[in-house]
Amino acid sequence: MEYLKERGLNGETIEEFDLGFAAGGERLMLQLLNQGYDISDISRAGLASKNENNLYRDKFYRRIIFPIFNSLGKIVAFTGRIMPGEERDGVPKYLNSPETPIFSKSKILYGFHMAKNEIAKSRAAFLVEGQMDFLMAWQSGVKNAIAVSGTALTTYHLERLRRVADS
C-alpha cells in the first residue's frame, strides 16, 4: 500500500481496481488446494509453478498484483510488479499470467471494462502503455483511458476500439 500511495494512487483507486499484494511462498496455492482446486489447474492458470527443487510455489512472489479484467469485468489474469528494492538480474520487473483460453494479452485492453461506456459516449479513447499509467489517468478524471499493458498495439485492439471510438 505504501508503494502504491508513493506512486500517487489513492485508497479509492486501489480498492476500485482490486490492487493487492502477493506475499508468495505457498499461501495462494494452499488456499486454492483447500478449496478443492487441482494443482494442474492452478499451474495452468499461471498461479503456481515448480521451482528448481521440483516443488510448487506461488508464481507471483512478493509482487504488487494488478488484476486483469475482461470487457465484462471478470478477472481473467494478473500482472505482478516486483517490489522496489527487490529487483535483480534474471527476475522480470513485471510478470504476467500466461496465455490461457480466457486470457490473451494481445486482446485485452487494461481498464476497458471501466472505460468502455465513457469511450462510447465521447467516441474517443486515450491510450496509455501500462496499468499505472491507466490508473493515474483514471484517478485524475480521464475516464476514457485504456492501456495495452506494455504490449504492442495490435490489430485486435484497434478493431475493438473502432466499434466504440472514432479517435
Side-chain angles (χ1 to χ4, degrees), residues 92-161:
K93 186 175 186 177
Y94 287 92
L95 186 63
N96 296 303
S97 292
E99 298 278 316
T100 66
I102 62 168
F103 173 66
S104 175
K105 191 174 172 184
S106 64
K107 293 183 178 179
I108 296 280
L109 288 163
Y110 184 79
F112 187 74
H113 72 292
M114 295 290 280
K116 64 185 175 185
N117 291 338
E118 186 60 34
I119 292 170
K121 184 174 141 188
S122 67
R123 299 298 299 167
F126 183 67
L127 183 65
V128 297
E129 180 186 6
Q131 288 95 348
M132 284 299 294
D133 302 317
F134 165 82
L135 293 166
M136 292 303 296
W138 178 270
Q139 182 175 278
S140 298
V142 181
K143 303 299 186 186
N144 62 333
I146 33 80
V148 290
S149 300
T151 61
L153 185 62
T154 67
T155 303
Y156 186 89
H157 290 140
L158 293 172
E159 289 171 353
R160 181 92 175 154
L161 285 171

Side-chain angles (χ1 to χ4, degrees), residues 25-88:
E26 302 171 337
R27 292 177 186 158
L28 176 62
M29 183 185 60
L30 291 175
Q31 181 177 346
L32 292 171
L33 288 170
N34 287 334
Q35 291 178 2
Y37 290 94
D38 186 83
I39 190 65
S40 63
D41 292 332
I42 297 167
S43 179
R44 276 189 308 183
L47 299 174
S49 58
K50 286 186 179 182
N51 66 10
E52 62 277 354
N53 296 324
N54 216 25
L55 299 172
Y56 283 98
R57 296 283 188 251
D58 293 349
K59 182 174 181 175
F60 295 103
Y61 179 76
R62 297 200 41 80
R63 290 178 180 269
I64 298 160
I65 300 299
F66 299 86
I68 308 294
F69 299 85
N70 67 13
S71 61
L72 302 175
K74 302 289 184 185
I75 296 174
V76 294
F78 301 95
T79 294
R81 193 231 191 262
I82 198 159
M83 290 296 296
E86 295 189 21
E87 297 104 341
R88 56 188 187 279

